[in-house]
Amino acid sequence: MEIMQVQEDLVCTRSVKNLEGISLRVMKDLKGNVLCASDPVGVGIGKWVVTTSGSAARWAMPNYASITDLTIVGIIDNWE
Amino acid sequence: MEIMQVQEDLVCTRSVKNLEGISLRVMKDLKGNVLCASDPVGVGIGKWVVTTSGSAARWAMPNYASITDLTIVGIIDNWE
Amino acid sequence: MEIMQVQEDLVCTRSVKNLEGISLRVMKDLKGNVLCASDPVGVGIGKWVVTTSGSAARWAMPNYASITDLTIVGIIDNWE
Amino acid sequence: MEIMQVQEDLVCTRSVKNLEGISLRVMKDLKGNVLCASDPVGVGIGKWVVTTSGSAARWAMPNYASITDLTIVGIIDNWE
Amino acid sequence: MEIMQVQEDLVCTRSVKNLEGISLRVMKDLKGNVLCASDPVGVGIGKWVVTTSGSAARWAMPNYASITDLTIVGIIDNWE
């Protein structure tokens, strides 16, 4: 899993069916890379979170058919 | 998921069977890397999109047997 | 698998259900990257361990439904 | 998927059973990294191809039990 | 798959159950990165080998329940 910070929301009006209705966030990882994660937790901008990748990202969603490969799974209690 | 820009079409006349009939695009990611993605959405050149990788890339295709590992899943509404 | 050193504990009070009750550790790999791993072994801070990633990380947990993608699987006997 | 160039053949006389009889090629990716791919297409040295990775690499083989994680899936028609 | 050289043995007396009895090797890849692989072939130190990663690493083991994500699958006949 990786430690990332939520940067902003991301909207895709036109998408494949299994991405519809899923909250997407622009993320920055600890090396400064910008990625896109699905967010089943509901996290505010600026928060530091733990993300999981690969097939685990689908298991972390309410609906396993969600075609994400990166999901926010927890908000870190204390991270500078 | 990653944020990438569609660069151009890519054609493979000779391929394995489960790649036939699938639209392929040359992509550039945010770090400048060049990749190849399957496109079930139908995206124009120059557009910024969200891609998913790994086994999720197959789930995002109309036919799960497609042997892609990177699929365009949505067009981003606003990206500079 | 990779060789990493345990840095500190990591706590997520608010998380998805399948992460609850799992010990999380902040890890540093041999290139200095900081990651987050699930720990079913119970390892002290500073120890050098072997980690596994991807779907194997779930198989290494007592409960396969754990949504981790990186798990500590053994403590290395001798590592400088 | 990635765009790579076939460099040379690679032979492993001693291998695990599920690698026996599979054509292996030394590949170079667009960043100059050297990798090893299984080749069900039959591609000549110097050709530019599309490769797929992860579990898709097994689906692209005639026998799914092949333990590859990188497979050549098509020859690109025009690539400089 | 990747081309790596076997560096030395690695021993974990304390590990999760599905890693017990598996030969582990410290590996160096072509970029100089140090990794840990399971070895069902029985390879001597200094040899150049092909490794497979991800779920294929488990399929390459005699027991699929082995929680490895990197397995040696063949010894390369000629590699400088």
Side-chain angles (χ1 to χ4, degrees):
Chain A
M1 292 165 282
E2 290 201 54
I3 294 161
M4 298 189 185
Q5 190 180 34
V6 180
Q7 302 296 301
E8 53 176 312
D9 291 343
L10 187 150
V11 179
C12 291
T13 300
R14 190 165 155 220
S15 69
V16 299
K17 200 184 171 187
N18 288 0
L19 199 70
E20 289 170 7
I22 294 174
S23 295
L24 299 177
R25 310 279 185 213
V26 179
M27 312 295 294
K28 190 173 281 186
D29 69 16
L30 291 175
K31 296 165 83 175
N33 298 314
V34 173
L35 297 154
C36 173
S38 51
D39 178 10
V41 179
V43 186
I45 291 169
K47 291 281 182 186
W48 287 94
V49 299
V50 173
T51 60
T52 199
S53 66
S55 52
R58 294 199 301 277
W59 286 94
M61 296 294 289
N63 178 2
Y64 178 76
S66 311
I67 46 76
T68 180
D69 65 0
L70 187 71
T71 299
I72 298 172
V73 291
I75 305 174
I76 306 175
D77 282 13
N78 295 295
W79 194 264
E80 82 285 2
Chain B
M1 293 166 282
E2 291 200 52
I3 295 160
M4 297 189 185
Q5 191 181 33
V6 180
Q7 303 295 301
E8 54 176 312
D9 291 344
L10 187 149
V11 179
C12 291
T13 300
R14 190 164 155 222
S15 70
V16 298
K17 200 184 170 188
N18 289 1
L19 200 70
E20 289 170 6
I22 294 174
S23 295
L24 299 178
R25 311 279 185 215
V26 179
M27 311 296 292
K28 190 173 281 187
D29 69 16
L30 290 175
K31 298 165 82 175
N33 298 314
V34 173
L35 297 154
C36 172
S38 50
D39 178 11
V41 180
V43 187
I45 291 169
K47 291 280 183 185
W48 287 94
V49 298
V50 173
T51 60
T52 199
S53 66
S55 52
R58 294 200 300 276
W59 285 95
M61 296 294 289
N63 178 3
Y64 178 77
S66 310
I67 47 76
T68 180
D69 66 358
L70 186 72
T71 299
I72 297 171
V73 292
I75 305 174
I76 306 175
D77 281 12
N78 294 295
W79 194 264
E80 82 286 2
Chain C
M1 292 165 281
E2 290 201 53
I3 295 161
M4 298 190 186
Q5 190 180 35
V6 180
Q7 302 295 300
E8 54 176 311
D9 292 343
L10 188 150
V11 179
C12 291
T13 300
R14 190 165 154 218
S15 70
V16 298
K17 200 183 171 189
N18 288 1
L19 199 70
E20 290 171 7
I22 294 174
S23 295
L24 299 177
R25 311 280 186 212
V26 179
M27 312 296 293
K28 189 174 282 186
D29 70 15
L30 291 174
K31 296 165 82 175
N33 298 314
V34 173
L35 297 154
C36 173
S38 51
D39 178 10
V41 180
V43 186
I45 291 169
K47 292 280 183 189
W48 286 95
V49 299
V50 173
T51 60
T52 200
S53 67
S55 53
R58 294 200 301 275
W59 286 93
M61 295 295 289
N63 179 1
Y64 178 77
S66 309
I67 46 76
T68 180
D69 65 0
L70 186 71
T71 299
I72 297 172
V73 291
I75 305 175
I76 306 174
D77 282 12
N78 294 295
W79 194 265
E80 81 286 1
Chain D
M1 293 166 282
E2 290 201 53
I3 294 160
M4 297 190 187
Q5 191 182 32
V6 180
Q7 302 294 302
E8 54 176 312
D9 291 343
L10 187 149
V11 180
C12 292
T13 301
R14 190 165 155 221
S15 70
V16 298
K17 200 184 171 188
N18 289 0
L19 199 70
E20 290 170 5
I22 294 174
S23 295
L24 299 179
R25 312 277 185 216
V26 179
M27 312 296 293
K28 189 174 281 188
D29 69 16
L30 290 175
K31 297 165 81 174
N33 298 314
V34 173
L35 297 154
C36 173
S38 51
D39 177 11
V41 180
V43 187
I45 291 171
K47 292 281 183 186
W48 287 95
V49 298
V50 173
T51 60
T52 199
S53 66
S55 52
R58 294 200 302 275
W59 285 94
M61 297 294 290
N63 178 1
Y64 178 76
S66 310
I67 46 76
T68 181
D69 66 358
L70 185 72
T71 298
I72 297 171
V73 292
I75 304 175
I76 305 175
D77 283 11
N78 294 295
W79 194 265
E80 81 286 1
Chain E
M1 293 166 281
E2 290 201 53
I3 295 161
M4 298 190 187
Q5 191 181 33
V6 181
Q7 302 295 302
E8 55 176 312
D9 292 343
L10 187 149
V11 180
C12 291
T13 300
R14 190 165 155 219
S15 70
V16 297
K17 200 183 170 189
N18 288 1
L19 199 70
E20 290 171 7
I22 294 174
S23 295
L24 299 179
R25 312 280 185 213
V26 180
M27 312 296 294
K28 190 174 281 187
D29 70 16
L30 291 174
K31 296 165 83 176
N33 298 314
V34 174
L35 297 154
C36 173
S38 51
D39 178 10
V41 180
V43 187
I45 291 170
K47 292 279 184 189
W48 287 95
V49 298
V50 173
T51 60
T52 199
S53 67
S55 52
R58 293 200 302 276
W59 286 94
M61 296 295 290
N63 178 1
Y64 178 77
S66 310
I67 46 77
T68 180
D69 65 359
L70 186 71
T71 298
I72 297 171
V73 292
I75 305 176
I76 306 175
D77 282 12
N78 294 295
W79 194 264
E80 80 287 1

Short mmCIF file of all heavy atoms in Angstrom, two decimals, chain C residues 19-76:
data_model
loop_
_atom_site.label_atom_id
_atom_site.label_comp_id
_atom_site.label_asym_id
_atom_site.label_seq_id
_atom_site.Cartn_x
_atom_site.Cartn_y
_atom_site.Cartn_z
N LEU C 19 -10.08 -3.40 6.19
CA LEU C 19 -8.75 -3.01 6.68
C LEU C 19 -8.76 -2.95 8.21
O LEU C 19 -7.72 -2.88 8.85
CB LEU C 19 -8.36 -1.65 6.10
CG LEU C 19 -6.86 -1.29 6.14
CD1 LEU C 19 -6.07 -2.15 5.17
CD2 LEU C 19 -6.65 0.18 5.82
N GLU C 20 -9.95 -3.01 8.81
CA GLU C 20 -10.08 -2.89 10.27
C GLU C 20 -9.40 -4.07 10.98
O GLU C 20 -9.52 -5.22 10.57
CB GLU C 20 -11.56 -2.84 10.65
CG GLU C 20 -12.22 -1.53 10.23
CD GLU C 20 -13.73 -1.55 10.40
OE1 GLU C 20 -14.25 -2.53 10.97
OE2 GLU C 20 -14.40 -0.60 9.95
N GLY C 21 -8.67 -3.74 12.06
CA GLY C 21 -8.05 -4.79 12.87
C GLY C 21 -6.75 -5.33 12.31
O GLY C 21 -6.17 -6.25 12.87
N ILE C 22 -6.29 -4.76 11.21
CA ILE C 22 -5.03 -5.22 10.60
C ILE C 22 -3.90 -4.29 11.03
O ILE C 22 -4.03 -3.08 10.96
CB ILE C 22 -5.16 -5.24 9.06
CG1 ILE C 22 -6.18 -6.30 8.63
CG2 ILE C 22 -3.80 -5.49 8.40
CD1 ILE C 22 -6.48 -6.32 7.15
N SER C 23 -2.78 -4.88 11.49
CA SER C 23 -1.61 -4.08 11.86
C SER C 23 -0.94 -3.54 10.61
O SER C 23 -0.59 -4.31 9.72
CB SER C 23 -0.60 -4.93 12.64
OG SER C 23 -1.15 -5.33 13.87
N LEU C 24 -0.77 -2.23 10.55
CA LEU C 24 -0.11 -1.59 9.41
C LEU C 24 1.23 -1.03 9.86
O LEU C 24 1.35 -0.48 10.96
CB LEU C 24 -0.98 -0.45 8.86
CG LEU C 24 -2.37 -0.84 8.33
CD1 LEU C 24 -3.11 0.42 7.89
CD2 LEU C 24 -2.26 -1.83 7.19
N ARG C 25 2.23 -1.16 8.99
CA ARG C 25 3.57 -0.65 9.29
C ARG C 25 4.03 0.26 8.16
O ARG C 25 3.79 -0.06 6.98
CB ARG C 25 4.59 -1.79 9.41
CG ARG C 25 4.17 -2.94 10.28
CD ARG C 25 4.37 -2.66 11.75
NE ARG C 25 4.07 -3.89 12.51
CZ ARG C 25 3.55 -3.88 13.73
NH1 ARG C 25 3.28 -2.75 14.35
NH2 ARG C 25 3.30 -5.01 14.36
N VAL C 26 4.72 1.33 8.52
CA VAL C 26 5.42 2.14 7.52
C VAL C 26 6.74 1.43 7.24
O VAL C 26 7.47 1.06 8.16
CB VAL C 26 5.69 3.57 8.06
CG1 VAL C 26 6.44 4.39 7.01
CG2 VAL C 26 4.38 4.25 8.44
N MET C 27 7.03 1.20 5.96
CA MET C 27 8.21 0.44 5.53
C MET C 27 9.12 1.32 4.69
O MET C 27 8.66 2.24 4.02
CB MET C 27 7.77 -0.74 4.65
CG MET C 27 6.64 -1.58 5.19
SD MET C 27 7.06 -2.43 6.72
CE MET C 27 8.31 -3.56 6.10
N LYS C 28 10.42 1.00 4.70
CA LYS C 28 11.35 1.62 3.76
C LYS C 28 12.02 0.51 2.96
O LYS C 28 12.51 -0.46 3.53
CB LYS C 28 12.40 2.46 4.50
CG LYS C 28 13.25 3.31 3.56
CD LYS C 28 14.20 4.25 4.29
CE LYS C 28 13.47 5.47 4.83
NZ LYS C 28 14.39 6.46 5.42
N ASP C 29 11.98 0.62 1.63
CA ASP C 29 12.63 -0.41 0.81
C ASP C 29 14.11 -0.07 0.57
O ASP C 29 14.61 0.95 1.08
CB ASP C 29 11.86 -0.63 -0.51
CG ASP C 29 11.97 0.53 -1.47
OD1 ASP C 29 12.84 1.40 -1.30
OD2 ASP C 29 11.17 0.56 -2.43
N LEU C 30 14.80 -0.92 -0.17
CA LEU C 30 16.25 -0.77 -0.33
C LEU C 30 16.64 0.46 -1.15
O LEU C 30 17.81 0.85 -1.17
CB LEU C 30 16.85 -2.03 -0.99
CG LEU C 30 16.83 -3.29 -0.11
CD1 LEU C 30 17.31 -4.49 -0.90
CD2 LEU C 30 17.71 -3.10 1.13
N LYS C 31 15.67 1.07 -1.82
CA LYS C 31 15.95 2.29 -2.59
C LYS C 31 15.52 3.55 -1.84
O LYS C 31 15.59 4.65 -2.37
CB LYS C 31 15.24 2.22 -3.95
CG LYS C 31 15.73 1.08 -4.82
CD LYS C 31 14.81 0.79 -5.98
CE LYS C 31 15.04 1.71 -7.14
NZ LYS C 31 14.20 1.31 -8.31
N GLY C 32 15.02 3.36 -0.60
CA GLY C 32 14.63 4.50 0.21
C GLY C 32 13.18 4.91 0.05
O GLY C 32 12.74 5.88 0.68
N ASN C 33 12.41 4.17 -0.76
CA ASN C 33 10.98 4.48 -0.91
C ASN C 33 10.20 4.10 0.35
O ASN C 33 10.49 3.09 0.97
CB ASN C 33 10.40 3.70 -2.10
CG ASN C 33 11.04 4.07 -3.39
OD1 ASN C 33 11.23 5.25 -3.69
ND2 ASN C 33 11.40 3.07 -4.19
N VAL C 34 9.22 4.92 0.71
CA VAL C 34 8.38 4.68 1.87
C VAL C 34 7.05 4.09 1.42
O VAL C 34 6.40 4.61 0.52
CB VAL C 34 8.16 5.98 2.66
CG1 VAL C 34 7.15 5.78 3.78
CG2 VAL C 34 9.48 6.48 3.22
N LEU C 35 6.67 2.95 2.04
CA LEU C 35 5.45 2.23 1.67
C LEU C 35 4.70 1.84 2.93
O LEU C 35 5.17 2.08 4.05
CB LEU C 35 5.83 0.97 0.89
CG LEU C 35 6.54 1.22 -0.44
CD1 LEU C 35 7.40 0.05 -0.84
CD2 LEU C 35 5.49 1.48 -1.51
N CYS C 36 3.54 1.21 2.77
CA CYS C 36 2.74 0.75 3.90
C CYS C 36 2.43 -0.73 3.70
O CYS C 36 1.94 -1.13 2.65
CB CYS C 36 1.45 1.57 3.98
SG CYS C 36 0.28 0.98 5.21
N ALA C 37 2.73 -1.56 4.71
CA ALA C 37 2.50 -3.00 4.61
C ALA C 37 1.62 -3.50 5.74
O ALA C 37 1.64 -2.94 6.85
CB ALA C 37 3.83 -3.75 4.65
N SER C 38 0.86 -4.54 5.48
CA SER C 38 0.14 -5.26 6.53
C SER C 38 1.11 -6.25 7.18
O SER C 38 1.99 -6.79 6.51
CB SER C 38 -1.08 -5.98 5.95
OG SER C 38 -0.70 -6.76 4.83
N ASP C 39 0.93 -6.48 8.48
CA ASP C 39 1.90 -7.29 9.23
C ASP C 39 1.21 -8.41 10.02
O ASP C 39 0.80 -8.21 11.15
CB ASP C 39 2.68 -6.39 10.19
CG ASP C 39 3.68 -7.18 11.02
OD1 ASP C 39 3.89 -8.37 10.73
OD2 ASP C 39 4.25 -6.61 11.96
N PRO C 40 1.11 -9.62 9.45
CA PRO C 40 0.55 -10.74 10.19
C PRO C 40 1.58 -11.47 11.05
O PRO C 40 1.22 -12.38 11.81
CB PRO C 40 0.06 -11.68 9.07
CG PRO C 40 1.01 -11.45 7.95
CD PRO C 40 1.42 -9.99 8.05
N VAL C 41 2.85 -11.06 10.95
CA VAL C 41 3.94 -11.75 11.67
C VAL C 41 4.14 -11.14 13.05
O VAL C 41 4.42 -11.84 14.03
CB VAL C 41 5.26 -11.69 10.84
CG1 VAL C 41 6.39 -12.39 11.57
CG2 VAL C 41 5.05 -12.31 9.46
N GLY C 42 4.01 -9.82 13.14
CA GLY C 42 4.28 -9.13 14.40
C GLY C 42 5.75 -8.80 14.52
O GLY C 42 6.48 -9.45 15.25
N VAL C 43 6.18 -7.77 13.80
CA VAL C 43 7.60 -7.46 13.69
C VAL C 43 7.91 -6.16 14.41
O VAL C 43 7.15 -5.19 14.32
CB VAL C 43 8.01 -7.32 12.21
CG1 VAL C 43 9.51 -7.14 12.07
CG2 VAL C 43 7.54 -8.53 11.42
N GLY C 44 9.05 -6.11 15.10
CA GLY C 44 9.46 -4.90 15.81
C GLY C 44 10.06 -3.88 14.87
O GLY C 44 10.55 -4.21 13.79
N ILE C 45 10.04 -2.62 15.30
CA ILE C 45 10.60 -1.52 14.50
C ILE C 45 12.10 -1.72 14.31
O ILE C 45 12.80 -2.13 15.23
CB ILE C 45 10.28 -0.17 15.18
CG1 ILE C 45 8.77 0.10 15.08
CG2 ILE C 45 11.06 0.97 14.56
CD1 ILE C 45 8.27 1.25 15.91
N GLY C 46 12.59 -1.45 13.10
CA GLY C 46 14.01 -1.58 12.78
C GLY C 46 14.38 -2.91 12.15
O GLY C 46 15.46 -3.05 11.58
N LYS C 47 13.49 -3.90 12.24
CA LYS C 47 13.79 -5.23 11.68
C LYS C 47 13.77 -5.21 10.16
O LYS C 47 12.98 -4.49 9.54
CB LYS C 47 12.74 -6.25 12.16
CG LYS C 47 12.81 -6.56 13.65
CD LYS C 47 13.92 -7.55 13.98
CE LYS C 47 13.93 -7.90 15.46
NZ LYS C 47 15.10 -8.69 15.85
N TRP C 48 14.62 -6.06 9.57
CA TRP C 48 14.62 -6.27 8.11
C TRP C 48 13.76 -7.47 7.78
O TRP C 48 13.90 -8.54 8.40
CB TRP C 48 16.04 -6.51 7.60
CG TRP C 48 16.86 -5.26 7.59
CD1 TRP C 48 17.71 -4.83 8.57
CD2 TRP C 48 16.90 -4.27 6.56
NE1 TRP C 48 18.28 -3.63 8.22
CE2 TRP C 48 17.80 -3.27 6.98
CE3 TRP C 48 16.26 -4.12 5.33
CZ2 TRP C 48 18.08 -2.13 6.22
CZ3 TRP C 48 16.53 -3.00 4.56
CH2 TRP C 48 17.43 -2.03 5.00
N VAL C 49 12.85 -7.31 6.83
CA VAL C 49 11.88 -8.35 6.52
C VAL C 49 11.76 -8.57 5.02
O VAL C 49 12.25 -7.77 4.22
CB VAL C 49 10.47 -7.97 7.07
CG1 VAL C 49 10.50 -7.82 8.59
CG2 VAL C 49 9.96 -6.70 6.40
N VAL C 50 11.10 -9.67 4.65
CA VAL C 50 10.72 -9.93 3.27
C VAL C 50 9.25 -9.60 3.11
O VAL C 50 8.43 -9.97 3.96
CB VAL C 50 10.98 -11.40 2.89
CG1 VAL C 50 10.44 -11.72 1.51
CG2 VAL C 50 12.48 -11.71 2.95
N THR C 51 8.90 -8.87 2.03
CA THR C 51 7.50 -8.55 1.76
C THR C 51 7.07 -9.16 0.43
O THR C 51 7.88 -9.32 -0.48
CB THR C 51 7.29 -7.02 1.67
OG1 THR C 51 8.09 -6.50 0.60
CG2 THR C 51 7.63 -6.33 2.97
N THR C 52 5.79 -9.47 0.32
CA THR C 52 5.24 -9.93 -0.95
C THR C 52 4.15 -8.96 -1.38
O THR C 52 3.51 -8.32 -0.54
CB THR C 52 4.72 -11.38 -0.86
OG1 THR C 52 4.62 -11.94 -2.17
CG2 THR C 52 3.37 -11.45 -0.17
N SER C 53 3.93 -8.84 -2.70
CA SER C 53 3.00 -7.84 -3.22
C SER C 53 1.93 -8.47 -4.10
O SER C 53 1.93 -9.67 -4.35
CB SER C 53 3.78 -6.79 -4.02
OG SER C 53 4.31 -7.38 -5.18
N GLY C 54 1.01 -7.64 -4.56
CA GLY C 54 -0.05 -8.10 -5.46
C GLY C 54 -1.02 -9.02 -4.75
O GLY C 54 -1.25 -8.89 -3.54
N SER C 55 -1.62 -9.95 -5.49
CA SER C 55 -2.62 -10.85 -4.89
C SER C 55 -1.99 -11.77 -3.85
O SER C 55 -2.66 -12.20 -2.91
CB SER C 55 -3.35 -11.65 -5.97
OG SER C 55 -2.42 -12.31 -6.82
N ALA C 56 -0.69 -12.06 -3.96
CA ALA C 56 0.00 -12.87 -2.95
C ALA C 56 -0.07 -12.22 -1.57
O ALA C 56 -0.07 -12.92 -0.55
CB ALA C 56 1.45 -13.10 -3.35
N ALA C 57 -0.14 -10.89 -1.53
CA ALA C 57 -0.22 -10.18 -0.25
C ALA C 57 -1.51 -10.53 0.50
O ALA C 57 -1.52 -10.58 1.73
CB ALA C 57 -0.14 -8.67 -0.47
N ARG C 58 -2.58 -10.81 -0.24
CA ARG C 58 -3.84 -11.23 0.42
C ARG C 58 -3.75 -12.68 0.88
O ARG C 58 -4.21 -13.02 1.96
CB ARG C 58 -5.03 -11.06 -0.54
CG ARG C 58 -5.31 -9.61 -0.86
CD ARG C 58 -6.72 -9.40 -1.39
NE ARG C 58 -6.99 -10.15 -2.58
CZ ARG C 58 -6.70 -9.75 -3.82
NH1 ARG C 58 -6.10 -8.60 -4.02
NH2 ARG C 58 -7.02 -10.49 -4.84
N TRP C 59 -3.17 -13.56 0.06
CA TRP C 59 -3.00 -14.97 0.44
C TRP C 59 -2.14 -15.12 1.69
O TRP C 59 -2.25 -16.11 2.40
CB TRP C 59 -2.37 -15.76 -0.71
CG TRP C 59 -3.28 -16.03 -1.85
CD1 TRP C 59 -3.42 -15.28 -2.98
CD2 TRP C 59 -4.19 -17.13 -2.00
NE1 TRP C 59 -4.36 -15.84 -3.81
CE2 TRP C 59 -4.84 -16.98 -3.22
CE3 TRP C 59 -4.53 -18.22 -1.18
CZ2 TRP C 59 -5.82 -17.87 -3.68
CZ3 TRP C 59 -5.49 -19.11 -1.64
CH2 TRP C 59 -6.12 -18.92 -2.87
N ALA C 60 -1.25 -14.14 1.94
CA ALA C 60 -0.36 -14.23 3.10
C ALA C 60 -1.04 -13.78 4.39
O ALA C 60 -0.47 -13.93 5.47
CB ALA C 60 0.90 -13.38 2.85
N MET C 61 -2.25 -13.27 4.29
CA MET C 61 -2.99 -12.81 5.47
C MET C 61 -3.85 -13.96 6.02
O MET C 61 -4.28 -14.83 5.26
CB MET C 61 -3.88 -11.63 5.10
CG MET C 61 -3.12 -10.38 4.67
SD MET C 61 -2.11 -9.65 5.98
CE MET C 61 -3.38 -8.97 7.06
N PRO C 62 -4.14 -13.95 7.31
CA PRO C 62 -5.03 -14.98 7.88
C PRO C 62 -6.41 -14.95 7.19
O PRO C 62 -7.03 -15.98 7.00
CB PRO C 62 -5.14 -14.57 9.35
CG PRO C 62 -3.92 -13.77 9.63
CD PRO C 62 -3.59 -13.05 8.35
N ASN C 63 -6.85 -13.75 6.80
CA ASN C 63 -8.13 -13.60 6.13
C ASN C 63 -7.89 -13.07 4.72
O ASN C 63 -7.44 -11.94 4.55
CB ASN C 63 -9.03 -12.63 6.91
CG ASN C 63 -10.37 -12.42 6.23
OD1 ASN C 63 -10.66 -13.00 5.18
ND2 ASN C 63 -11.19 -11.56 6.83
N TYR C 64 -8.23 -13.88 3.71
CA TYR C 64 -7.94 -13.52 2.32
C TYR C 64 -8.68 -12.24 1.90
O TYR C 64 -8.26 -11.56 0.98
CB TYR C 64 -8.33 -14.67 1.39
CG TYR C 64 -8.12 -14.37 -0.07
CD1 TYR C 64 -6.84 -14.40 -0.63
CD2 TYR C 64 -9.18 -14.02 -0.91
CE1 TYR C 64 -6.63 -14.11 -1.96
CE2 TYR C 64 -8.97 -13.73 -2.25
CZ TYR C 64 -7.69 -13.77 -2.77
OH TYR C 64 -7.49 -13.47 -4.09
N ALA C 65 -9.76 -11.90 2.58
CA ALA C 65 -10.54 -10.72 2.21
C ALA C 65 -9.85 -9.41 2.58
O ALA C 65 -10.31 -8.33 2.20
CB ALA C 65 -11.93 -10.78 2.83
N SER C 66 -8.75 -9.47 3.32
CA SER C 66 -8.00 -8.26 3.66
C SER C 66 -7.56 -7.57 2.38
O SER C 66 -7.00 -8.20 1.50
CB SER C 66 -6.75 -8.63 4.48
OG SER C 66 -7.10 -9.48 5.55
N ILE C 67 -7.78 -6.28 2.29
CA ILE C 67 -7.57 -5.59 1.02
C ILE C 67 -6.16 -4.98 0.91
O ILE C 67 -5.99 -3.94 0.29
CB ILE C 67 -8.65 -4.53 0.75
CG1 ILE C 67 -8.92 -3.67 1.99
CG2 ILE C 67 -9.96 -5.18 0.33
CD1 ILE C 67 -7.91 -2.65 2.27
N THR C 68 -5.18 -5.67 1.42
CA THR C 68 -3.79 -5.23 1.31
C THR C 68 -3.19 -5.62 -0.04
O THR C 68 -3.65 -6.57 -0.68
CB THR C 68 -2.95 -5.86 2.42
OG1 THR C 68 -1.60 -5.41 2.28
CG2 THR C 68 -2.96 -7.38 2.35
N ASP C 69 -2.15 -4.87 -0.48
CA ASP C 69 -1.36 -5.27 -1.65
C ASP C 69 0.12 -5.43 -1.31
O ASP C 69 0.96 -5.56 -2.20
CB ASP C 69 -1.54 -4.29 -2.82
CG ASP C 69 -0.98 -2.91 -2.50
OD1 ASP C 69 -0.46 -2.69 -1.39
OD2 ASP C 69 -1.08 -2.03 -3.37
N LEU C 70 0.45 -5.39 0.00
CA LEU C 70 1.85 -5.55 0.45
C LEU C 70 1.84 -6.12 1.86
O LEU C 70 1.28 -5.50 2.76
CB LEU C 70 2.58 -4.20 0.42
CG LEU C 70 4.07 -4.24 0.73
CD1 LEU C 70 4.86 -4.87 -0.41
CD2 LEU C 70 4.61 -2.83 1.00
N THR C 71 2.43 -7.31 2.04
CA THR C 71 2.38 -7.98 3.34
C THR C 71 3.77 -8.47 3.75
O THR C 71 4.52 -8.99 2.92
CB THR C 71 1.42 -9.19 3.27
OG1 THR C 71 0.11 -8.73 2.95
CG2 THR C 71 1.37 -9.96 4.59
N ILE C 72 4.09 -8.28 5.01
CA ILE C 72 5.33 -8.83 5.58
C ILE C 72 5.15 -10.34 5.74
O ILE C 72 4.19 -10.79 6.34
CB ILE C 72 5.62 -8.20 6.96
CG1 ILE C 72 5.85 -6.69 6.81
CG2 ILE C 72 6.81 -8.88 7.62
CD1 ILE C 72 5.94 -5.95 8.14
N VAL C 73 6.10 -11.12 5.15
CA VAL C 73 5.93 -12.59 5.19
C VAL C 73 7.04 -13.29 5.96
O VAL C 73 6.92 -14.48 6.27
CB VAL C 73 5.82 -13.19 3.77
CG1 VAL C 73 4.50 -12.76 3.15
CG2 VAL C 73 6.99 -12.80 2.89
N GLY C 74 8.14 -12.62 6.29
CA GLY C 74 9.19 -13.26 7.07
C GLY C 74 10.21 -12.27 7.57
O GLY C 74 10.40 -11.20 6.97
N ILE C 75 10.85 -12.61 8.70
CA ILE C 75 11.92 -11.78 9.26
C ILE C 75 13.24 -12.40 8.82
O ILE C 75 13.48 -13.59 9.03
CB ILE C 75 11.83 -11.73 10.80
CG1 ILE C 75 10.43 -11.25 11.23
CG2 ILE C 75 12.92 -10.84 11.38
CD1 ILE C 75 10.21 -11.28 12.74
N ILE C 76 14.11 -11.60 8.21
CA ILE C 76 15.39 -12.11 7.70
C ILE C 76 16.34 -12.36 8.87
O ILE C 76 16.48 -11.51 9.76
CB ILE C 76 16.01 -11.11 6.70
CG1 ILE C 76 14.99 -10.78 5.59
CG2 ILE C 76 17.28 -11.69 6.09
CD1 ILE C 76 15.46 -9.71 4.63
#
